[in-house]
Amino acid sequence: MVRPRDNRADGTGSPVRSNAAARHTEDTSVGPARHLGAAPRTPVWLKATTLIISVLLVGVVAFGAYWFIRLQGNITKQALGAGNSRTEDAVDEAKDRMQILILGSDTRDGKNSQYGSAAESTGYGHSDVMMLMDISADNKRVSVVSFPRDLLVDIPKCVDQKTKREFPAQKNVMINAAMSEAGIGCAVDTVNKITGLEVDHFMMADFNSVKELSNTVGGVDVCVSDAIYDPDSGLRLPKGTSKVQGEQALSFVRTRHAFGDGSDLGRIKAQQGFLSSLVRKIKDDGTFSNPGRMLGIADAITKNLTIDDGLASVPTLLTVGNRLKDIDVSKVAFVAAPTEPAVSDQNRLQLAEPAASQLFAAMRKDIDLTDPAAKPDASASASASAEPSASQSPAAPAYNKALQPVTVANGSGDPARAKELVAALTAGGFTQTGQLTAKAVAKTAVYYGADFADVAADVAALLGIPASQVLPAAGVSGVQVYVGRDYAGATQQPDAPATLPPDIVNQTAGDTVCQQANPALITR
């Protein structure tokens, strides 16, 4: 093919047009670049819409980033434990059963300086409030167990995870002192020791958090039986229902003398009543479905919050919060750990047995405290389908555990061992227990009298004692557990019955309860 020659000897002529370009116009002076390169003009409305959408997207991203950075920056962290061993893996916050220890710190520095001098709260401060929140895996129920600050307990050896300083174990000291030396992790380890559970997370708030949260939600309704004035906390309320927020809300949850008989137990019931009302208000106001309100609450909480490393991210906190939004308020149970005046100090409290062991055993078994007789749900039934057939299952004991005499002779050299064993036996249904003084021995044995061989075998299985160490003894009436220095610790049978003390639940979040005023502080 012969290409047409360029007429421009000096390079100034028109370019040669291709045949394809020539087909589109009769004007031979129109070049292909000009014709083929022309693009339709973008409509003004499309440009404006694109600009608006871009601005909105940038705004949304900037808004989200601002709140994420702000909330994340609010959070203060501490270690979950204090050096004591754990046997459970980390939970999946989205779907596993989860226990969170909620603490109220009495620290008096920074924003809390108006409530006293820093010297009044030594070290990490004391836990002014201690509640264990237990969220079921199916998100259908929550249990909140309160521990009085005056409760005397044994605190395990703890190591401050910041300084690595070790603090020795303490016996018969107030539970609110657990975190004062080695940090919040020591409070967590103490609750683990008491309950036999392994707490997954903790949240600690200070005085200021109650004020800011109550202001953010627009006040919380509380009810008292009579008009009261507590000069110590500054709480003054008329008879009936009042809305409290800010300083008045803080006074309501802090007062130690305004309710009941003026003890810490009255304060626990008032705190539970306050939280019940707060839960109802948040759900009734549709807060969980209102992003603006949720951000306000999140900001108020995180500014005054210390949490463990595993919980210390905004997405994780949102995941936990999302699990709570659809729970029926009648399935949010508020409980107080069963207590009685302490033998060593009548102004303090100790765990009341067997009620405390029964409660903690029920919690370990994940029993619905509002309905202990409830049947397992479908998912639980499905997981139990692999259990042995009736021909393989052990026969039910041919005796009443509650009537069997079981004594504990403590030859371990550890005074706390007898109490531990009695608690384990009681939780397993053997409530007729007693203790004997005993000489120190190296090896543990379970002795039994005539006709008690089956009871002794069950007792040994409950306590994790090998069958080879179960022996007949002519001088024993019933069953005697003679614990030696080799004993590692009590274990619980997974199928041991859970018996709850009557009226263990103080109230649910669905109950509106008027707090009984302390007669000494009633005003006319």
Side-chain angles (χ1 to χ4, degrees):
M1 176 178 179
V2 179
R3 292 175 59 86
R5 264 191 325 186
D6 192 342
N7 296 327
R8 296 172 299 163
D10 57 355
T12 61
S14 300
V16 176
R17 300 176 62 239
S18 70
N19 291 335
R23 287 197 299 267
H24 290 284
T25 179
E26 297 302 323
D27 184 358
T28 57
S29 66
V30 177
R34 179 180 176 186
H35 176 72
L36 295 179
R41 299 183 66 182
T42 304
V44 174
W45 67 267
L46 182 58
K47 290 181 178 180
T49 302
T50 303
L51 178 62
I52 292 171
I53 291 175
S54 299
V55 171
L56 287 175
L57 286 175
V58 171
V60 169
V61 172
F63 179 79
Y66 165 78
W67 275 104
F68 182 89
I69 294 170
R70 174 167 175 164
L71 296 178
Q72 192 70 52
N74 286 344
I75 296 172
T76 302
K77 298 183 292 184
Q78 277 195 31
L80 176 62
N84 292 284
S85 61
R86 296 179 63 89
T87 61
E88 298 176 2
D89 295 330
V91 295
D92 183 332
E93 286 80 10
K95 62 182 181 181
D96 290 343
R97 182 189 177 197
M98 180 167 50
Q99 288 95 34
I100 303 175
L101 185 64
I102 299 173
L103 302 160
S105 170
D106 71 349
T107 182
R108 291 171 170 82
D109 57 1
K111 292 177 290 186
N112 302 291
S113 59
Q114 62 181 297
Y115 304 108
S117 65
E120 293 180 72
S121 55
T122 58
Y124 289 98
H126 294 75
S127 50
D128 207 42
V129 176
M130 182 179 283
M131 298 178 174
L132 180 60
M133 180 170 68
D134 187 3
I135 306 172
S136 67
D138 58 10
N139 297 335
K140 291 183 178 178
R141 51 190 167 83
V142 174
S143 300
V144 182
V145 181
S146 296
F147 296 89
R149 55 175 286 161
D150 293 339
L151 178 65
L152 298 180
V153 298
D154 293 341
I155 297 176
K157 179 183 70 175
C158 291
V159 177
D160 185 330
Q161 298 302 292
K162 287 184 178 180
T163 65
K164 302 305 178 184
R165 179 183 173 188
E166 182 178 303
F167 295 88
Q170 303 177 68
K171 292 186 177 296
N172 211 39
V173 295
M174 286 172 58
I175 193 170
N176 74 332
M179 76 177 199
S180 62
E181 294 179 329
I184 304 172
C186 194
V188 171
D189 289 349
T190 299
V191 171
N192 289 344
K193 178 180 176 66
I194 294 170
T195 63
L197 296 164
E198 288 192 8
V199 174
D200 302 301
H201 296 296
F202 69 76
M203 296 179 176
M204 187 185 74
D206 58 21
F207 293 145
N208 205 54
S209 62
V210 177
K211 296 192 300 182
E212 294 200 12
L213 180 58
S214 61
N215 283 330
T216 301
V217 301
V220 178
D221 289 336
V222 297
C223 181
V224 295
S225 63
D226 298 273
I228 56 170
Y229 172 60
D230 176 17
D232 289 340
S233 67
L235 179 67
R236 186 189 296 274
L237 289 175
K239 178 180 179 179
T241 301
S242 303
K243 189 182 296 293
V244 297
Q245 63 186 93
E247 286 290 347
Q248 197 174 34
L250 178 59
S251 295
F252 186 88
V253 299
R254 282 191 68 208
T255 179
R256 295 211 47 181
H257 308 296
F259 305 115
D261 60 0
S263 71
D264 204 37
L265 299 179
R267 185 174 73 148
I268 281 177
K269 289 188 176 181
Q271 291 169 347
Q272 293 175 344
F274 179 90
L275 290 176
S276 295
S277 182
L278 177 62
V279 169
R280 291 195 302 274
K281 181 174 181 62
I282 289 176
K283 288 184 72 71
D284 292 345
D285 287 353
T287 300
F288 285 116
S289 59
N290 186 316
R293 290 180 183 171
M294 282 297 295
L295 286 173
I297 289 177
D299 191 38
I301 292 175
T302 54
K303 281 192 297 187
N304 305 280
L305 193 67
T306 301
I307 53 183
D308 63 277
D309 295 325
L311 200 58
S313 74
V314 172
T316 304
L317 288 173
L318 291 175
T319 297
V320 175
N322 191 57
R323 292 182 61 173
L324 302 174
K325 68 178 183 180
D326 294 324
I327 293 178
D328 186 338
V329 290
S330 68
K331 286 298 182 181
V332 180
F334 289 94
V335 177
T339 58
E340 61 189 5
V343 174
S344 59
D345 184 347
Q346 290 296 298
N347 294 317
R348 299 288 181 260
L349 299 168
Q350 65 185 26
L351 290 174
E353 297 295 355
S357 292
Q358 290 171 346
L359 169 62
F360 301 143
M363 293 181 69
R364 289 192 295 270
K365 292 175 180 292
D366 197 17
I367 300 296
D368 183 350
L369 301 184
T370 65
D371 186 10
K375 294 181 180 179
D377 60 21
S379 60
S381 299
S383 64
S385 60
E387 65 185 15
S389 63
S391 61
Q392 297 171 314
S393 300
Y399 60 83
N400 185 344
K401 288 185 177 182
L403 301 178
Q404 309 311 309
V406 182
T407 55
V408 176
N410 188 6
S412 67
D414 181 356
R417 273 292 188 229
K419 183 178 179 180
E420 176 190 344
L421 287 168
V422 168
L425 288 165
T426 301
F430 293 98
T431 56
Q432 296 296 319
T433 57
Q435 299 181 39
L436 300 172
T437 56
K439 294 180 179 180
V441 294
K443 193 171 184 179
T444 300
V446 177
Y447 299 105
Y448 62 90
D451 301 325
F452 282 92
D454 53 349
V455 180
D458 290 342
V459 167
L462 175 66
L463 301 179
I465 299 171
S468 60
Q469 293 168 227
V470 180
L471 306 168
V476 172
S477 176
V479 176
Q480 180 187 109
V481 181
Y482 202 131
V483 59
R485 290 190 294 270
D486 64 330
Y487 188 63
T491 59
Q492 301 294 325
Q493 281 185 321
D495 58 348
T499 303
L500 278 170
D503 303 322
I504 188 65
V505 176
N506 285 340
Q507 70 176 94
T508 71
D511 300 328
T512 300
V513 178
C514 263
Q515 306 304 319
Q516 188 63 44
N518 180 0
L521 297 179
I522 292 177
T523 61
R524 302 299 178 189

